[in-house]
Amino acid sequence: MKKWTVLAAVIVAATVLVFQYSIVPTIAQEQGTTGQPSTTTPSPATKTDEPAAQKKAEKPAEITNQECIDCHNPDILKMSKEELADQVVVDDKAAPPRSKRPFVTGELNLSINDKKYAEGVHADTTCVTCHSDITEVPHKQRLKAVDCKECHDEAVEQIEASAHKDKPGPKALGCVGCHDVHYGKGKDDYAKGFSPKVCEDCHKAYNMDTLKAHTKLYEAKLHLAMDCMLCHSGKDPGVHNIPLVKTKVASCESCHTKNTILEKEKPVSAGFIACVTQTGFMNGSSLKKYGYVLGAHRIPMLDAILILVVLGTFGLPIVHGGLRILTRRKEPIHLPEEKILLHPLIERLWHWFQALCIVMLIFTGIMLHWPEKFPGWFNWSVTVHNWFGWGAVIAFVVWFLYNIITGRISHYIPKKWEIPGGMITQAKFYGYGIFKHEPHPYAPTEDNKFNPLQKIAYLKFQLLLFPLLLISGILYMYPETFKGVIAAIGGMYILGIIHLILGALFTAFLVAHLYLATTGETIGENFKAIIFGYGVKSDHEDHSKHV
């Protein structure tokens, strides 16, 4: 009996507990939802755990691109500021609109063309991948800037090590300044469409004067028409790797040389015979694409012929001079003591100034024509060649005006009886009489200081070839300024050939002139006269007896 009494008590107690913790809270909850006061307070554990369980069970769905494009469609561009503010979450008040900033390849706005986006490089990327601060739609009004480095870390590191590390001003954009991120293409497509205009447009957008930045570069406009990356190329290809300009751009010799970087393929070295017999321009593919480039485009056979012409003039001092040495007089030479003024001071100053210009033009011209033989000297040679070129122009103008105004141009004009008789007589003297120590057939006088052959030579070189050389040099010096004249001639490559031939002929003339100056009464007499102005008055037959 006692056992059954204890068992009954346990059952009653369990029933009370079940009733208290299950049925009563349910009633209390029902009363709470109907607004009736509830005397039962749920435990803290029950109140906290239930929302956590719901969050765990209900994972938020990812925001799709379509949800974004539903708002960011062309209609959004027609909305007022107030209507735009209604589309986003505004904390206090709508933020003022951003100022319009320059973009090179496109323009960022609130409207997205879903078709163009699907064709771009980011087609498989969701909007929230880049705009990671968007957690709900509508989102906050002002989003943080996208960090391209999160995906394109290698490209960003390249830029940070390049000349584009620093932005060109407070309004300049980062990657999106050049890349149309919503509709942009892949790297290969950018490379195909790249041109100097891309660089110029970008610099112009940020008020950078590309031409002004290249003023130290000779004929800047002509160079800027070429591919910027020809000079501004780093160890690795691509715009991202553009090196710092002051230290790592290509040198002038990179283009202006036999092994020019303008050629797609490195030229294969040919044998000597194959080289000198080449009748066409070397580096033909770059000539066709970029036009004539000094130092890079030469005709080897023409070079060989002109070298032989110049070397041939050395036959005069070697052969003719050698015979003079063998037949020289044994007894001393006695010159007349009376002197006459052959070269006034202004003529002597002009002569030596023009001689200096011609010598410097020849040396620098050789350095410019074969720059690979003089590495590191190209830029200096261009500057010096141009300065002495203008010096030669000034010298010629002074010589011409002086001789016309003073009437001393008559010294250069042959007399009627000097052609061809006087020329033949003087030629016989050079070819035969000089070895027999015969007197000069035409002794210089104050009124007629040159013999017939000298007159013909000076007229040909000083009044014909020298002006042509100077004119071709000026055209060569300023190809953009005189591009119309150059085109009428046949182009830069024709002008280059003309200038080269004239330069070689004048070099040959200089060698002959220096040697023939030794054929006076003594080897040094003519040199003394052009330095001090006075020459000897010869007693033998002179020009005046033929008048």
Side-chain angles (χ1 to χ4, degrees), residues 32-276:
T33 57
T34 58
Q36 296 178 2
S38 174
T39 57
T40 306
T41 303
S43 65
T46 304
K47 185 177 181 180
T48 303
D49 292 345
E50 186 175 359
Q54 289 178 354
K55 286 182 179 180
K56 187 173 181 180
E58 298 176 8
K59 184 179 180 181
E62 185 177 356
I63 300 172
T64 64
N65 285 359
Q66 189 58 49
E67 290 179 85
C68 298
I69 293 175
D70 285 342
C71 285
H72 291 277
N73 57 63
D75 292 337
I76 200 171
L77 299 178
K78 302 175 184 177
M79 294 182 181
S80 63
K81 295 179 182 179
E82 293 75 16
E83 291 174 328
L84 289 173
D86 291 338
Q87 306 297 313
V88 294
V89 178
V90 180
D91 296 330
D92 297 325
K93 61 180 180 179
R98 288 191 176 104
S99 58
K100 190 175 181 180
R101 304 174 79 182
F103 291 84
V104 176
T105 59
E107 182 178 343
L108 292 182
N109 55 50
L110 297 176
S111 173
I112 302 296
N113 185 312
D114 54 347
K115 183 178 180 181
K116 289 175 64 177
Y117 183 83
E119 296 172 351
V121 70
H122 289 140
D124 297 330
T125 306
T126 60
C127 302
V128 294
T129 301
C130 297
H131 300 284
S132 56
D133 50 338
I134 297 178
T135 58
E136 59 182 353
V137 177
H139 55 74
K140 289 184 178 181
Q141 181 189 18
R142 200 51 66 82
L143 301 177
K144 67 178 182 179
V146 174
D147 186 5
C148 299
K149 192 173 183 179
E150 292 182 358
C151 295
H152 306 282
D153 55 341
E154 183 179 355
V156 174
E157 289 174 2
Q158 289 174 340
I159 293 173
E160 289 177 348
S162 74
H164 286 145
K165 175 183 178 181
D166 299 324
K167 292 182 179 180
K171 293 184 178 181
L173 300 170
C175 304
V176 297
C178 294
H179 294 275
D180 192 335
V181 293
H182 286 151
Y183 312 129
K185 304 298 181 182
K187 182 172 64 174
D188 294 338
D189 291 314
Y190 274 112
K192 291 177 183 177
F194 183 81
S195 68
K197 191 175 184 300
V198 175
C199 298
E200 293 173 12
D201 288 348
C202 186
H203 293 172
K204 185 177 181 181
Y206 300 119
N207 299 318
M208 297 174 67
D209 192 337
T210 306
L211 183 60
K212 185 178 180 180
H214 291 80
T215 50
K216 291 185 179 180
L217 185 65
Y218 188 74
E219 281 293 309
K221 288 184 178 179
L222 194 62
H223 283 84
L224 290 178
M226 303 177 74
D227 186 356
C228 303
M229 297 304 293
L230 285 172
C231 296
H232 299 276
S233 57
K235 294 181 180 178
D236 300 316
V239 178
H240 290 170
N241 297 295
I242 289 179
L244 293 172
V245 174
K246 293 182 179 180
T247 57
K248 297 181 180 179
V249 295
S251 64
C252 297
E253 285 90 341
S254 298
C255 289
H256 297 275
T257 186
K258 176 182 178 181
N259 301 314
T260 176
I261 61 174
L262 301 177
E263 285 287 297
K264 292 182 179 180
E265 298 179 0
K266 189 176 180 179
V268 179
S269 58
F272 176 77
I273 301 299
C275 180
V276 298

Side-chain angles (χ1 to χ4, degrees), residues 429-450:
F429 171 77
Y430 286 143
Y432 177 77
I434 193 171
F435 304 117
K436 295 292 184 179
H437 312 295
E438 295 177 358
H440 287 69
Y442 299 100
T445 66
E446 291 178 324
D447 297 327
N448 207 358
K449 60 184 179 180
F450 299 130

Side-chain angles (χ1 to χ4, degrees), residues 380-440:
W380 177 87
S381 299
V382 170
T383 303
V384 174
H385 195 81
N386 291 345
W387 276 111
F388 280 101
W390 278 115
V393 171
I394 294 171
F396 173 79
V397 172
V398 169
W399 172 86
F400 184 77
L401 293 178
Y402 166 77
N403 281 280
I404 292 296
I405 293 172
T406 61
R408 291 181 66 83
I409 193 69
S410 61
H411 287 278
Y412 299 88
I413 307 300
K415 310 298 182 183
K416 289 182 179 180
W417 49 265
E418 290 180 333
I419 300 177
M423 297 172 61
I424 296 172
T425 301
Q426 186 65 39
K428 286 181 178 179
F429 171 77
Y430 286 143
Y432 177 77
I434 193 171
F435 304 117
K436 295 292 184 179
H437 312 295
E438 295 177 358
H440 287 69

